[in-house]
Amino acid sequence: SINGQMVLDSGDAGTSDWVRLQKGANVFQATYQSPPAGDAVVRLLWSSADHPAESIPPKHWTHLAADPELGRDMSMRRGRQLFAERQCLRCHSGGDAYHLGSGMPELAKDAPLLLDIGLRLRGDWMARWIENPAACREQTSMPRLFHGTKGPEQSRDVAAYLATLQLGALTNDRPVPDEEATIRLGGTLYTQLGCVACHSLDQSPNLQADQPRISLRHLRDKFHPPALREYLLNPSRGYQASRMPHFDLEETEAEAIAAFLLKQADPPPAPAPAGDPVRGKELAEAAGCIFCHPLPIAAKSSAPALADFGPLDSGRGCLSTEPGKAPDLGLHEESIEDLKRFLKSGLPSLKRHTPAEFAERQIAAHNCTACHERDGRTDDWTTFQHEVARWAPKKEEDHEGQPEPAQDRPSLTWTGEKLHASWVEQLLSGTREAPARPWLNARMPPYAAHAAPLARGLADSHGIPDSAPAHEAADPQLATIGRDLVTKHLGFGCSDCHGIGDQAAAAVFEAEGVNFRHTRDRLRPEHYHRLLRDPTKLDPKTTMPRYGDAHGYT
């Protein structure tokens, strides 16, 4: 219903009657129940004298955030997400019904492989991390396992044991160079790849973004220098769920970034007393480290099974606000209440996978808005341009005096409606042979583990089914007319800014456009027609001109 008027009910099929909106806010209310089987789609479009039917831009929507029922439901949803992110099933067995392939994809998330950690990380840093992970990184999912007066000593013992794990060898263990040219190249790459959007090199990270950035001042304390170079080459090695993007760096690039970061980092603190690796192994076994991390140890602890959560007092154990023997999750009181509410009544939802919600969770988890604008929110990379300028190369060093191509990254607002799901999956899996925007210094990293469900979820969030481009033959007569229209002497001069197959763009003025060879595979026809009708309506930053009138005619 719209403003109290019913416009579509369960007996209707297809499109509703037209509804005239009132000036200012309009109240929309939808009640929906899934069909017994199969998919169903509901889409809400609007039109006016100025434009045909189209999706309503997300920035025009708001909701009653203070609604009590919505508050309870959102609390349970947050609790469900926390339960999956914190990998509670690793310790609290839930049986086969809650494992991979039967519900939330996050339930199958792995934890870092530690079998070679002694080659990669310094023991003193590991001890500080184990003693209080949340103090080192606010958003960590690693719990605090050792409490009380013995906590620091126990943490050093476990770190001493982990330092003995040195399976294999580094691919390249030579020192990271400390040469000015290498460091300068690393600073250039740091700015071009957008590292500043997720990381800070300051003592106290600027928190203008929605998510706190991770400071990199501790890298000399954390990494053995050659291991930092190797980590940058392959961040997901031994940890597929890592949030650190894989930029497909050349070894010289990884070395340069490592040299730059190590130059900016603080020196390590004074060494702490050495721990006992024998006691550390015993403590790791008693703490159940093997439930999350593959380790050559036994499991000498257990936790209540998921089926036993109901009769338990949900304020005990991990959810207690008082220090005890259970792991300390480092959660705020509101998050603990969210988990309690979920545990009381929401466990069956772990078996359900909703692609649209999964896409939203992954956009937040991987901090996609650090690099991409979405729904009118400026990306974090742009927010921190003053920091980028500090490390960016001087203008005279850029492109031998030539102006740099525009570096605007595409908005995520219309992704699911704009792109074929098949293209998005290829992009996210890293299987595209060439980028659509090769002039960008930024690199789109792959997220192969979640490419398919994320592509499906982005489409679902717009009410769009999975789609792939149709490959029927084009009308020869229309193709001939279209070929003329993209030229400068017979049409609109599209070929000035857009390459056409192997033919490069002829005369780019401000920003190059995507090569036309990608158009059919990338763009859904509906979005293509909307874009040509009024480019700036979809993307206010675009330099694409408008050639048609309000009705799309030229």
Side-chain angles (χ1 to χ4, degrees), residues 54-126:
E54 65 182 24
S55 299
I56 303 176
K59 64 183 180 181
H60 293 316
W61 291 100
T62 185
H63 65 280
L64 301 177
D67 179 83
E69 185 176 359
L70 175 64
R72 289 191 298 271
D73 290 346
M74 292 302 293
S75 174
M76 186 178 295
R77 180 174 292 177
R78 289 192 300 268
R80 176 179 184 256
Q81 185 172 346
L82 275 169
F83 187 92
E85 287 178 346
R86 296 305 179 103
Q87 293 292 281
C88 300
L89 284 178
R90 296 282 185 174
C91 295
H92 302 281
S93 173
D96 293 338
Y98 295 102
H99 289 166
L100 177 62
S102 60
M104 296 178 70
E106 292 94 330
L107 296 178
K109 185 176 74 171
D110 63 343
L113 186 69
L114 303 181
L115 297 179
D116 64 347
I117 195 168
L119 294 171
R120 296 185 284 116
L121 305 186
R122 298 180 67 252
D124 283 352
W125 182 88
M126 287 193 285

Side-chain angles (χ1 to χ4, degrees), residues 394-417:
K394 299 295 186 292
K395 289 300 179 183
E396 59 266 22
E397 299 175 7
D398 291 345
H399 303 278
E400 299 180 352
Q402 298 299 316
E404 184 178 51
Q407 295 296 306
D408 291 332
R409 297 162 299 282
S411 169
L412 295 184
T413 298
W414 300 108
T415 301
E417 183 178 283

Side-chain angles (χ1 to χ4, degrees), residues 10 123 166 181 211 220 238 280 290 302 349 393 424 493 507 525:
S10 59
Q166 301 188 10
Q211 295 193 25
R220 287 172 62 187
I290 196 173
S302 61
S349 67
V424 176

Side-chain angles (χ1 to χ4, degrees), residues 10-81:
S10 59
D12 296 330
T15 306
S16 72
D17 293 333
W18 291 100
V19 177
R20 183 179 295 276
L21 300 181
Q22 65 188 21
K23 199 171 185 179
N26 292 265
V27 179
F28 286 72
Q29 185 172 7
T31 303
Y32 176 76
Q33 184 173 354
S34 298
D39 291 337
V41 172
V42 177
R43 297 191 70 197
L44 183 63
L45 310 176
W46 71 354
S47 68
S48 72
D50 296 329
H51 63 81
E54 65 182 24
S55 299
I56 303 176
K59 64 183 180 181
H60 293 316
W61 291 100
T62 185
H63 65 280
L64 301 177
D67 179 83
E69 185 176 359
L70 175 64
R72 289 191 298 271
D73 290 346
M74 292 302 293
S75 174
M76 186 178 295
R77 180 174 292 177
R78 289 192 300 268
R80 176 179 184 256
Q81 185 172 346

Side-chain angles (χ1 to χ4, degrees), residues 367-381:
N367 202 15
C368 300
T369 53
C371 295
H372 297 275
E373 179 273 340
R374 191 182 190 219
D375 298 350
R377 177 194 178 279
T378 302
D379 61 89
D380 298 336
W381 191 344

